[in-house]
Amino acid sequence: MNGLIVINKPPGISSFRALSPIKRMLPKKTKVGHTGTLDPFAEGVLVCLVGGFTKLASAALGHEKKYLVTVSLGKQTDTLDPTGITVKEGPVPSEDDLLVMLDQILPKYHGSICQTPPAYSAIHINGKRAYQLARDGKDFSIPSRDVIIHQIDCRGIESGEIKLFVHCSSGTYIRSIARDIALDLGTCGYASQLKRLDAGGFSLEE
């Protein structure tokens, strides 16, 4: 049994758990995987691979993705998402000021950019996952990486929150974009909501 299933993952569960209903419907020992993890707090497109299609996972991981992210300004969490604890707070500019500043700031995030992934991420540091080191309170640094932002637009500002559409290359951390844009706005922030609209050409409508 081979195939591909596009899942609309709900927020609050891991990508691994999102595959459980499919595993229960398939014959035992059927291989099931996906083409790219979504954080538990995030929702949206998760491409599930079944049977022989799981061999395509490594190739599919390099595909572009599209997101809608809500950046909450005024505080930053250690995980850069709503599951973490507040580690920093700052003033929130007015909506008029945010509009003016975003017009100047967002072009900086278009094209090839260098970003530092979050401490709470699955990146390997000396053989261990970064999030494991962070949970253990270890002191470590994560190398910056180059990623490509094909498009980034503001889709709304309300009550200290900015909604952004991001079309990016594989390996881009949207939580890092939320953190960095907030800093450029003279405050701090985190990704409070994240929806993946498209992964490798498979859309939420599917």
Side-chain angles (χ1 to χ4, degrees):
M1 183 172 289
N2 307 299
L4 182 150
I5 305 169
V6 183
I7 301 173
N8 183 2
K9 186 189 92 65
I13 64 171
S14 67
S15 296
F16 179 80
R17 185 179 167 192
L19 300 181
S20 296
I22 293 174
K23 291 179 180 179
R24 288 195 295 267
M25 290 188 295
L26 297 173
K28 289 184 178 180
K29 297 185 179 181
T30 301
K31 291 183 179 181
V32 177
H34 58 72
T35 65
T37 302
L38 265 177
D39 291 327
F41 85 99
E43 61 181 304
V45 176
L46 182 68
V47 181
C48 171
L49 303 174
V50 178
F53 276 42
T54 56
K55 297 177 181 179
L56 303 174
S58 59
L61 286 171
H63 288 171
E64 299 171 2
K65 298 175 176 67
K66 297 176 182 178
Y67 297 91
L68 186 64
V69 58
T70 299
V71 183
S72 291
L73 303 174
K75 74 174 185 178
Q76 181 178 310
T77 64
D78 56 354
T79 58
L80 301 180
D81 66 31
T83 68
I85 60 174
T86 300
V87 294
K88 187 186 299 185
E89 293 186 353
V92 179
S94 69
E95 291 187 13
D96 289 341
D97 288 342
L98 286 174
L99 281 171
V100 173
M101 288 189 286
L102 284 171
D103 282 343
Q104 300 171 341
I105 290 169
L106 289 184
K108 292 169 46 181
Y109 290 85
H110 187 269
S112 179
I113 66 169
C114 184
Q115 69 169 200
T116 302
Y120 284 84
S121 61
I123 291 174
H124 280 97
I125 305 292
N126 297 324
K128 288 191 175 183
R129 299 287 190 180
Y131 64 79
Q132 294 174 324
L133 298 173
R135 288 172 182 167
D136 293 339
K138 302 294 185 182
D139 186 23
F140 65 98
S141 60
I142 299 180
S144 298
R145 56 169 63 182
D146 291 329
V147 297
I148 298 174
I149 308 300
H150 301 284
Q151 182 181 351
I152 181 166
D153 299 320
C154 177
R155 297 293 171 90
I157 301 174
E158 186 176 357
S159 302
E161 292 186 336
I162 302 169
K163 291 188 182 297
L164 298 173
F165 169 81
V166 183
H167 176 191
C168 58
S169 65
S170 176
T172 303
Y173 278 91
I174 305 299
R175 287 178 291 146
S176 292
I177 289 178
R179 173 200 62 203
D180 296 343
I181 286 179
L183 291 173
D184 281 346
L185 290 169
T187 182
C188 52
Y190 67 99
S192 56
Q193 296 179 18
L194 181 62
K195 179 182 290 187
R196 187 151 70 192
L197 307 174
D198 188 290
F202 296 100
S203 67
L204 198 57
E205 289 73 23
E206 297 175 85

